[in-house]
Amino acid sequence: MTHAAANRLAAAPGDNSAAAFDVARVRADFPILTQEVFGKPLVYLDSAASAQKPRQVIEAMSHAYETCYANVHRGVHRMSQLTTDAFESGREKVAGFLNAGSADEIVFTRNATEAFNLVASCFASAKLARGDEVVISTLEHHANIVPWQLVRDRLGIVLRIVPIDDDGNFLLDDYEALLGPRTKLVAVTHVSNDLGTVVPIKQVIDLAHARGIPVLVDGCQAVPHIKVDVQALDADFYIFTGHKLYGPTGIGVLYGKSALLRELPPYQGGGEMISSVTFEKTTFKDPPHRFEAGTPPIVEAIGLGAAIDYVASLGHEAIAAHETGLRGYAEARLTQVAGLRLVGTAREKASIVSFVMDNAHPHDIGTIVDRAGVAVRTGHHCAQPLMQRLGVAATARASFGLYNTREEVDVLAQALESVHELFG
Ligand code: C6P
């Protein structure tokens, strides 16, 4: 497009509840938002799947490749040292972002999924035996279900599932009742990727800790929207993925309390995670390097650091206020569309609106709104047990990022009205 079209979708008077948040200026940082789809301005409402990248992230990564690139922790040469400093500064930024006690508590992985597999595998080796229990919830993404099922099938552990109510609220009393003498870990999401439910995570952690049980939190859908302080939460593990936080793909983050990480064996073996190797015996580095076998996501860590700087420059509170206003507006606007039903109306939600429509399959909805330039995700959102609990095969999901506007919600609503006309 087409600056005219871009401007149409940018902030209009009264666009934002947070006056300090200048969404037009923010949109100018995202080059992709000037694209057209089927001749219409792109309306990107799929940030929960993956967020778009600001110029600051793209440039930080290009700059690294152009001016300061080599492998890290390996070379005495200048370029390797400079790259190592930039890479480790990405780790420091993540530590600051989460308010971790130290950068040594930050492990870089390939994505969030790998971080879950790392904890499941290593925690199981160190701490789980047949009959032990791990508590997860109905709201979980497959990434926090399947790795535990693999452990269950290997070791004979038991998975206990926290139920939800019909609105998608996490049921705290039922959760507490599941905690018992065999519970060795609680692993729950902070924000549901399908419903947007915000889980009362501090209470979840406190109830577990009162019984000496550690807690792993899936923060993938939380960190782009909510200020997270792992020390204030007292989370034992906290996982997120770079690409939903306006950073690159190819990098995930596992925060783990130092003492806990030290108790875990390595995840994978290979270069860089060792202190010494002979054919008889290998000794391992301390965390986080013990868990980072092979060449790490070097430029991705630099890009993630730039994304964190970007989010910090806008301020998490301002972002949250903007997105809360947007979600409220979207829920009010979409419920006016005939034949549309919201799926997930929990008391506290973040940035996600899932819905179904009479007579129209979510894939049809997604295809039709795409023709209007609107990108939403449709399907089971990698949360099939949640779909089963809610009695739906799939939903359509609009998810908002810091660059979205109320005008874009209007474009979605108009497109949904035409879905109703076609199928209703
Ligand atoms: N959810 C969505 O459209 P990865 O793929 O490893 O970067 O992130 C996995 C993951 C884990 N937990 C939650 C709560 C998530 O939302 C996701 C990714 C995307 O909802 C893609 S399925």
Side-chain angles (χ1 to χ4, degrees), residues 279-421:
F279 282 117
E280 287 69 40
K281 182 176 165 57
T282 293
T283 57
F284 307 112
K285 282 187 177 157
D286 287 336
H289 303 292
R290 178 189 302 173
F291 302 106
E292 294 180 352
T295 298
I298 300 169
V299 176
E300 288 75 8
I302 295 169
L304 181 56
I308 285 171
D309 286 345
Y310 183 75
V311 167
S313 75
L314 299 179
H316 244 114
E317 278 179 19
I319 294 169
H322 171 68
E323 292 178 348
T324 303
L326 209 49
R327 183 181 50 77
Y329 180 75
E331 288 180 341
R333 183 75 181 80
L334 295 197
T335 43
Q336 288 166 7
V337 175
L340 185 148
R341 178 171 68 84
L342 297 181
V343 179
T345 48
R347 285 182 292 278
E348 210 188 325
K349 287 184 60 177
S351 255
I352 286 170
V353 179
S354 266
F355 55 92
V356 290
M357 291 181 76
D358 293 345
N359 306 324
H361 189 277
H363 289 320
D364 296 324
I365 299 173
T367 307
I368 290 169
V369 304
D370 185 39
R371 289 275 157 179
V374 183
V376 295
R377 185 171 173 192
T378 61
H380 55 64
H381 312 291
C382 302
Q384 284 186 359
L386 175 58
M387 299 283 110
Q388 287 149 17
R389 162 63 183 84
L390 296 170
V392 291
T395 69
R397 181 189 71 181
S399 54
F400 305 104
L402 43 76
Y403 33 63
N404 291 122
T405 67
R406 293 186 183 203
E407 284 66 28
E408 291 183 309
V409 173
D410 291 337
V411 175
L412 169 66
Q414 280 151 22
L416 293 173
E417 271 148 15
S418 60
V419 173
H420 175 68
E421 278 160 30

Side-chain angles (χ1 to χ4, degrees), residues 90-279:
R91 197 190 305 274
E92 296 278 351
K93 285 179 186 178
V94 173
F97 177 70
L98 293 177
N99 193 30
S102 137
D104 290 344
E105 296 181 315
I106 304 299
V107 178
F108 285 134
T109 57
R110 193 163 52 88
N111 49 30
T113 302
E114 188 178 51
F116 287 104
N117 280 278
L118 188 163
V119 176
S121 165
C122 301
F123 193 86
S125 302
K127 300 202 173 263
L128 297 181
R130 175 170 298 279
D132 284 343
E133 297 176 8
V134 171
V135 171
I136 60 176
S137 87
T138 310
L139 294 169
E140 301 315 312
H141 185 281
H142 296 166
N144 192 29
I145 301 174
V146 184
W148 299 112
Q149 290 176 327
L150 296 176
V151 172
R152 179 190 63 191
D153 297 346
R154 182 156 56 87
L155 284 186
I157 64 160
V158 177
L159 293 184
R160 299 265 180 230
I161 318 295
V162 184
I164 56 168
D165 66 17
D166 292 342
D167 293 328
N169 287 299
F170 180 97
L171 295 176
L172 212 50
D173 290 346
D174 297 67
Y175 160 67
E176 188 173 7
L178 287 179
L179 302 175
R182 295 305 304 259
T183 313
K184 290 291 170 357
L185 184 74
V186 169
V188 294
T189 194
H190 195 165
V191 173
S192 155
N193 71 311
D194 184 32
L195 307 184
T197 303
V198 179
V199 170
I201 205 67
K202 179 65 182 147
Q203 286 162 279
V204 167
I205 292 170
D206 288 349
L207 287 167
H209 283 181
R211 294 157 177 83
I213 304 163
V215 179
L216 176 156
V217 183
D218 176 354
C220 285
Q221 300 291 349
V223 292
H225 314 294
I226 297 172
K227 179 74 194 125
V228 171
D229 179 333
V230 289
Q231 293 194 76
L233 286 177
D234 203 16
D236 299 282
F237 297 108
Y238 197 97
I239 288 172
F240 74 90
T241 200
H243 65 96
K244 296 185 204 288
L245 187 64
Y246 310 99
T249 55
I251 188 162
V253 167
L254 165 64
Y255 158 81
K257 282 183 182 165
S258 261
L260 208 43
L261 287 180
R262 281 174 184 279
E263 290 176 48
L264 301 186
Y267 175 49
Q268 296 176 327
E272 271 314 296
M273 45 79 75
I274 55 90
S275 292
S276 72
V277 180
T278 66
F279 282 117

